[in-house]
Amino acid sequence: MKRTLLALAAATALFTACQQQQPADTAAADKASATESNAEAEAEAHSEGPQAKTTAAGKIYGAEVTEEGAQPMSALPAVLGQQDSAKVKLIGEATDVCQAKGCWMTLQTADGKPMRVRFKDYAFFVPKDSKGKTVVIDGWAHREEISVADQQHYAKDAGKSDKEVAAITKPQQQLTFMADGVLIKN
């Protein structure tokens, strides 16, 4: 019985292969085109993240986010207080965005310093053209020391010159944010 089933499966596979056979050049070209299309689609998907969703308010990346209850960036010092971290929803303007992939952005704090926003589990990115747009971020604000290597990496991602990157020589205390979700308003 097993031999009969195996023989039948082999015959079906052979018949199907013969029916779909293409010239080698055409098959290779089709495969290359499909591979390029898949790579472009994957790159596009990662530029906005797998969870990009369009709403009346704008586009949502990551977890569902609305503007309701969002605090202005100027309220962050009061919300954080003396704590090292706090769960908060903030609204502000994206002042910079990673130009390599859209894997981080910055918002300006009340004291004029940039707060780097990264995305939980690296699960989504934002469009690289998000700079200057109003965003709502929901997640955790943290006080953190940023190493020289990380600062230099972020500077390169932001398109800074080699001279500007080399000028970074000391770790910095900064506010950072790990976003569960981001709403980029229309």
Side-chain angles (χ1 to χ4, degrees):
M1 179 76 167
K2 286 183 182 179
R3 288 184 186 180
T4 305
L5 287 176
L6 284 173
L8 182 58
T12 303
L14 184 59
F15 177 76
T16 303
C18 289
Q19 293 295 321
Q20 294 178 348
Q21 191 172 21
Q22 297 178 3
D25 292 339
T26 305
D30 287 348
K31 185 175 182 179
S33 177
T35 301
E36 289 174 3
S37 295
N38 288 341
E40 290 171 3
E42 186 173 331
E44 179 64 25
H46 284 295
S47 72
E48 294 187 3
Q51 300 174 3
K53 176 182 174 186
T54 302
T55 68
K59 279 199 159 189
I60 296 172
Y61 302 87
E64 194 75 26
V65 179
T66 65
E67 191 174 349
E68 186 178 328
Q71 301 286 321
M73 285 296 295
S74 60
L76 183 57
V79 171
L80 196 53
Q82 297 300 312
Q83 303 173 87
D84 286 336
S85 63
K87 176 100 168 97
V88 64
K89 186 189 299 187
L90 298 168
I91 186 168
E93 180 181 314
T95 54
D96 205 358
V97 177
C98 171
Q99 292 301 294
K101 297 185 226 179
C103 57
W104 56 260
M105 69 176 144
T106 59
L107 279 73
Q108 190 171 4
T109 62
D111 62 0
K113 294 181 180 177
M115 177 180 74
R116 185 161 319 278
V117 179
R118 292 173 293 153
F119 311 115
K120 186 177 180 185
D121 297 330
Y122 212 59
F124 62 95
F125 302 146
V126 296
K128 295 185 273 185
D129 65 353
S130 299
K131 182 177 179 176
K133 296 187 179 179
T134 301
V135 299
V136 179
I137 56 176
D138 192 10
W140 286 86
H142 303 270
R143 296 181 205 277
E144 189 174 326
E145 183 172 284
I146 310 299
S147 71
V148 171
D150 284 347
Q151 289 179 69
Q152 290 176 337
H153 174 83
Y154 293 141
K156 288 177 187 175
D157 281 355
K160 303 289 183 192
S161 71
D162 289 342
K163 185 177 180 180
E164 290 171 301
V165 172
I168 300 169
T169 59
K170 295 181 183 175
Q172 281 189 346
Q173 286 290 328
Q174 291 182 355
L175 284 176
T176 62
F177 197 93
M178 183 61 67
D180 297 323
V182 175
L183 165 64
I184 299 180
K185 293 181 49 102
N186 290 333

